[in-house]
Amino acid sequence: ETTGFKASQQFKSTNYQNVYNDIAQLIRDNEEHDDYIGCGPVLLRLAWHASGQFDVSQNVRGGAYNGTLRFDKELNDPSNAGLGYAYNLLKPIYKKYSDQLSHGDLFTLAGVVAVQEMGGPKIPWRYGRVDGDIETMPENGRLPDANGDAGYVRKFFKRLDFLKDEETVALIGAHCVGKTHLKNSGFEGPWGAATNMFTNEFFRNLLNEKWNLETNDAGNKQYNNDKGYMMLPSDMALVQDGSFKKIVQKFAEDEQAFFTVFSSAFSKLIENGIYFEKSTPILYFKTLDEQDL
Ligand code: CCH
């Protein structure tokens, strides 16, 4: 594959494990964020939104390469409500490494750190994204609609070049962490109990909880249970479609299967539209715990 933006070797001597560690320390230092959920989930959402505007039919536009989420115009996309906070958290780290790091690399690495520090799978990562100017910013409005049904979700992830249902289901399994916020998205509540641990709880809850379709205070329909958990309509789509549901059942029974597919799909998501030379190493990072830090 030689289409897309070419990864740059400019910052090949940066010690990316050090950058990883600084982001991981940031997560530790901000454990009180969002009633003690911490900032791991919002950093993961930032990495996803920095990448999720990709359109395979236009190939080189909309992925994380140009790091355009740093522009107010993109941060002000209604879909990005709440991510200005996460970007501000990362600014001191960008400042520290500004002559050795691009924004696209910082945003995507933050997602890798968040998943790993919350107990999720290792995610392979490569450097080489290059800051683009404002002209490289895709138009707003390309992130998914939470009211979508199974057909919508499948088609949306096809635009991101995910052709296998398994990858789509695994990626949405990131909703095991964090919560929705009425003021950001017009939805409210967490998807489960362990909001800062990366697990397969999302899939177990989809199958095992009793869900009621209710109208929330913003006038949007969401699924609630009696424990205070919620599901978006686009989450519930994963058990309303036969092919999706089989995968939900597999991931609910086998967390390792979820982790394996999530790791490769997330890695692909954050590299969409980028062409890496063979010499670019695939990096795996140690967690702070693994380094006894
Ligand atoms: Fe998501 N997500 N997401 N999501 N998301 C929201 C929050 C998080 C959709 C809608 C929403 C992915 C896919 C989808 C996270 C990771 C991923 C919210 C609430 C909505 C709405 C925002 C708020 O109110 O603060 C839809 C629709 C889709 C696809 O159909 C994918 C893929 C990922 C990552 C791989 C994470 C994490 C959050 C929690 C953020 C937080 O602040 O707690």
Side-chain angles (χ1 to χ4, degrees), residues 33-34 37-38 40-46 48-49 79 81-83 118 143-148 152-153 156-157 160 168 170-188 191 195 198 232 234-235 262 266 269:
H33 171 66
D34 211 1
I37 291 175
V42 77
L43 288 175
L44 175 54
R45 181 166 167 250
L46 175 127
W48 140 240
H49 281 207
S79 294
L83 292 182
M118 292 190 288
L143 289 156
D145 181 350
N147 298 300
Y152 171 89
V153 170
F156 184 89
F157 279 86
L160 293 175
T168 298
L171 284 169
I172 297 172
H175 287 168
C176 57
V177 295
K179 69 183 286 283
T180 61
H181 307 80
L182 210 66
K183 67 174 174 8
N184 289 345
S185 59
F187 294 95
E188 181 57 42
W191 289 272
T195 49
F198 199 96
L232 300 165
S234 56
D235 297 319
F262 182 87
F266 190 72
L269 175 73

Side-chain angles (χ1 to χ4, degrees), residues 52-196:
Q53 296 175 310
F54 184 68
D55 185 337
V56 68
S57 72
Q58 302 177 333
N59 195 20
V60 296
R61 279 174 60 80
Y65 184 88
N66 292 118
T68 53
L69 189 58
R70 73 189 189 280
F71 294 123
D72 284 344
K73 199 173 166 195
E74 188 166 325
L75 282 168
N76 289 335
D77 185 330
S79 294
N80 287 332
L83 292 182
Y85 168 86
Y87 177 43
N88 283 335
L89 278 177
L90 291 174
K91 275 182 184 165
I93 296 180
Y94 181 74
K95 238 188 175 146
K96 179 172 170 187
Y97 295 97
S98 58
D99 56 353
Q100 323 168 50
L101 184 68
S102 69
H103 282 91
D105 282 351
L106 176 64
F107 295 155
T108 54
L109 185 55
V112 171
V113 177
V115 170
Q116 293 193 179
E117 294 295 314
M118 292 190 288
K122 296 272 180 179
I123 317 266
W125 182 87
R126 290 186 278 192
Y127 57 76
R129 296 162 192 79
V130 178
D131 285 5
D133 58 24
I134 190 104
E135 273 73 50
T136 63
M137 201 191 98
E139 68 276 14
N140 285 344
R142 290 193 189 200
L143 289 156
D145 181 350
N147 298 300
D149 63 8
Y152 171 89
V153 170
R154 187 173 282 115
K155 194 169 160 214
F156 184 89
F157 279 86
K158 210 173 199 173
R159 199 203 73 200
L160 293 175
D161 199 26
F162 291 106
L163 304 176
K164 293 187 206 135
D165 284 349
E166 197 174 55
E167 295 173 312
T168 298
V169 173
L171 284 169
I172 297 172
H175 287 168
C176 57
V177 295
K179 69 183 286 283
T180 61
H181 307 80
L182 210 66
K183 67 174 174 8
N184 289 345
S185 59
F187 294 95
E188 181 57 42
W191 289 272
T195 49
N196 55 18

